[in-house]
Amino acid sequence: MEEGTSKSLSNCESTVDYGDADPFQWDTREDCEVRQILDRIADKWSLLVIALLEQRVLRFTELRREIDGVSQRMLTVTLRQLERDGLVKRTVHAVVPPRVEYELTPLGGTLHATIQSLVTWTEVHRGEIASARVAYDSRGSAVGGG
């Protein structure tokens, strides 16, 4: 279990908002299941694993080779968490040496579509974001915390 993650999931307030958009629509308590899921799927390694597995079934070594900077331990932890959440399927083939493959589950495939929307938004707006960063950085130390 990830450090700081509660072992029991409590019921937190509903995240369904049928009225005006609420910036606090998900509970920020650590024991909120929605927050835990968002923390998991928004992790940079999880996003990369899901994106790569959308394309094809991959072995552990192939995933590690494709994901620059991920350690063996971190990739193992990420894959186990995604498998536990039902997003990734792990298949062990009974050969010598054992061959282990990973693929997205149908649920993981639905998440990939959502992630792709976020990537598309980022690609469309990256110029605006770059300009905003330059403007912010040019203000230097004049920008302070509130």
Side-chain angles (χ1 to χ4, degrees):
M1 181 165 290
E2 191 172 348
E3 184 177 319
T5 302
S6 173
K7 289 184 180 178
S8 65
L9 299 175
S10 68
N11 291 328
C12 54
E13 294 180 30
S14 172
T15 60
V16 178
D17 181 12
Y18 297 104
D20 293 332
D22 179 4
F24 300 104
Q25 65 184 350
W26 56 80
D27 194 312
T28 58
R29 293 175 296 172
E30 286 187 20
D31 62 347
C32 178
E33 187 174 10
V34 171
R35 178 178 171 183
Q36 290 177 5
I37 294 168
L38 287 171
D39 286 348
R40 168 84 27 77
I41 62 177
D43 172 81
K44 69 179 178 178
W45 304 125
S46 296
L47 289 172
L48 290 168
V49 166
I50 292 165
L52 287 168
L53 291 178
E54 172 62 19
Q55 299 168 10
R56 62 188 191 278
V57 174
L58 292 170
R59 295 175 68 176
F60 183 91
T61 53
E62 294 171 316
L63 280 165
R64 186 156 180 225
R65 191 177 322 120
E66 291 288 330
I67 302 174
D68 187 40
V70 70
S71 68
Q72 181 172 337
R73 180 188 178 284
M74 196 65 237
L75 182 56
T76 299
V77 168
T78 299
L79 287 165
R80 284 182 184 162
Q81 292 171 341
L82 292 172
E83 183 181 10
R84 180 174 183 254
D85 290 342
L87 302 172
V88 167
K89 178 183 173 191
R90 178 180 184 260
T91 304
V92 179
H93 298 277
V95 294
V96 178
R99 190 175 85 234
V100 181
E101 296 177 331
Y102 296 90
E103 62 186 303
L104 285 185
T105 63
L107 179 61
T110 65
L111 178 58
H112 181 268
T114 301
I115 292 169
Q116 188 57 49
S117 295
L118 181 60
V119 170
T120 300
W121 180 91
T122 304
E123 290 170 344
V124 168
H125 297 287
R126 69 179 172 212
E128 295 167 76
I129 293 168
S131 296
R133 288 176 176 174
V134 168
Y136 180 92
D137 292 347
S138 70
R139 294 191 306 248
S141 61
V143 176

